[in-house]
Amino acid sequence: MIPRTLFTEEHEMLREAARRFMETEVAPHNERWEEQGYVDREVWHKAGAAGFLCASMPDQYGGAGGDKLYSVVLMEEQARIGCSGLGFGLHSEIVAPYILHYGSEYLKSTYLPKMATGEMIGAIAMTEPGAGSDLQGVKATAVRNGDHYILNGSKTFITNGWHADLVIVVAKTDPEAGSKGISLFVVDTSMPGFSKGKRLKKAGMKAQDTAELFFDNVRVPTANLLGEEGQGFKYLMSELPWERLQISVTAIAAVEAGLDWTVAYTRDRKAFKRPVSEFQTVAHALAEIRTELELGRVFVDRCLQLLLENKLDAATASMAKYWTTEMQFRALDRCVQLHGGYGYMWEYPITRAWADARVQRIYGGTNEIMKELISRNL
């Protein structure tokens, strides 16, 4: 691979620690977690104690005070072992930043320290049964009533939803105002009227708890309004480029892991008295995957550099999300093919990685939406 220049010695020390954590505290439990449909809460506490949650949050709120590359390292190491059940990235780099960037000091001091330790697990509730990529189409409402908002509605496909202790909820405070009528609320899941539906069974990411959430006249204090009323859509658009780039980071890391597994398998597997890797069709397939991986990583690393400089725009992030996730599924599908029948056996990590990859082209905004966003900047 082309040498990467993003990471410092401190980042690489974190990588070593994260790799040990993933290999000792995560990998041995992954099969059991997939069967039960969620990871043990204990692993969240262990990750918090190790400083792996909210790593880019300021230390005054319990974070490690690092840059976003700290979290990138953790995402890459999680993808390397093929365990998609951990919702650490969403918790640390999607939920927590909303509170940090738009929350009052009360919200920051109340929730961020507990998120950093794993005492509280965060989720974000955008998607509804009838509204996905079109965030302006959400039906959940929040009506002002004195010093509270009365929140009603339902959400679905919510990562960390079953474990969640706090949820950032997207709701309409003015249904007639379009995008300017959307607001964000920090909802404590202990609030009366909040309930969790069943854990959803998915084609992949089987250890990641994904749930339906319901809000029945939930009284949310006005103090839990995130930022200003009616500014929610603006906040969402500001944070989505980083969310989409995170998907790209995991896509590239997953392809790298899948290629490593496949190279090892094809060297060990023999057909017609020689290693499968020596057949030209196999060698060329691996070469093509390696080339696309290299191209994708260079582009994503450049996007990460732009992010650190606050120069990453929405169109470029959309390009990264669209191209890398398409490449991820295409590459891992070829890796499955090169495993033969074993590539369809769940016990093989390439099979799980292939199944996990399919949703990458859907969440964070479908790839069709990504192309639409890119086309607007032509």
Side-chain angles (χ1 to χ4, degrees), residues 124-343:
I124 184 164
M126 300 186 198
T127 304
E128 297 181 358
S133 296
D134 178 17
L135 290 174
Q136 295 187 51
V138 298
K139 301 298 183 184
T141 59
V143 179
R144 182 72 179 261
N145 183 358
D147 56 359
H148 287 78
Y149 286 89
I150 309 302
L151 178 62
N152 283 284
S154 64
K155 301 289 182 177
T156 193
F157 307 145
I158 307 304
T159 301
N160 293 346
W162 193 72
H163 266 321
D165 301 290
L166 70 94
V167 183
I168 295 176
V169 179
V170 180
K172 289 280 186 71
T173 43
D174 185 352
E176 305 303 320
S179 64
K180 295 182 180 179
I182 294 175
S183 301
L184 306 182
F185 297 89
V186 179
V187 176
D188 192 309
T189 59
S190 65
M191 292 177 179
F194 172 86
S195 61
K196 300 174 182 177
K198 62 183 180 181
R199 292 192 308 278
L200 302 174
K201 294 182 179 180
K202 308 180 297 298
M205 295 190 169
K206 294 182 181 294
Q208 185 185 93
D209 78 88
T210 309
E212 301 169 315
L213 305 180
F214 300 97
F215 309 89
D216 183 11
N217 290 321
V218 180
R219 293 179 61 81
V220 182
T222 54
N224 282 43
L225 173 67
L226 201 57
E228 299 178 19
E229 184 177 308
Q231 296 297 305
F233 189 78
K234 175 183 175 182
Y235 301 153
L236 291 168
M237 293 302 102
S238 296
E239 299 298 323
L240 278 173
W242 171 218
E243 177 183 346
R244 288 165 179 160
L245 187 56
Q246 292 175 58
I247 296 172
S248 296
V249 167
T250 60
I252 294 295
V255 173
E256 183 174 25
L259 180 59
D260 287 346
W261 298 328
T262 307
V263 168
Y265 178 84
T266 56
R267 285 176 177 170
D268 183 64
R269 178 73 171 176
K270 289 182 171 57
F272 305 102
K273 299 182 180 181
R274 59 175 173 149
V276 171
S277 60
E278 293 183 5
F279 290 91
Q280 188 181 69
T281 53
V282 174
H284 285 188
L286 294 171
E288 290 169 4
I289 295 169
R290 174 64 182 269
T291 301
E292 288 198 311
L293 170 60
E294 190 94 359
L295 291 168
R297 169 149 283 163
V298 171
F299 181 61
V300 171
D301 279 0
R302 177 57 181 150
C303 287
L304 287 168
Q305 185 62 53
L306 290 172
L307 179 78
L308 296 175
E309 298 170 359
N310 294 316
K311 295 179 180 177
L312 180 66
D313 61 81
T316 304
S318 298
M319 293 177 196
K321 193 270 183 186
Y322 148 62
W323 191 86
T324 58
T325 57
E326 294 284 345
M327 185 273 289
Q328 176 190 9
F329 190 77
R330 184 171 62 246
L332 293 179
D333 190 64
R334 299 184 79 180
C335 289
V336 165
Q337 187 73 15
L338 294 174
H339 277 73
Y342 291 105

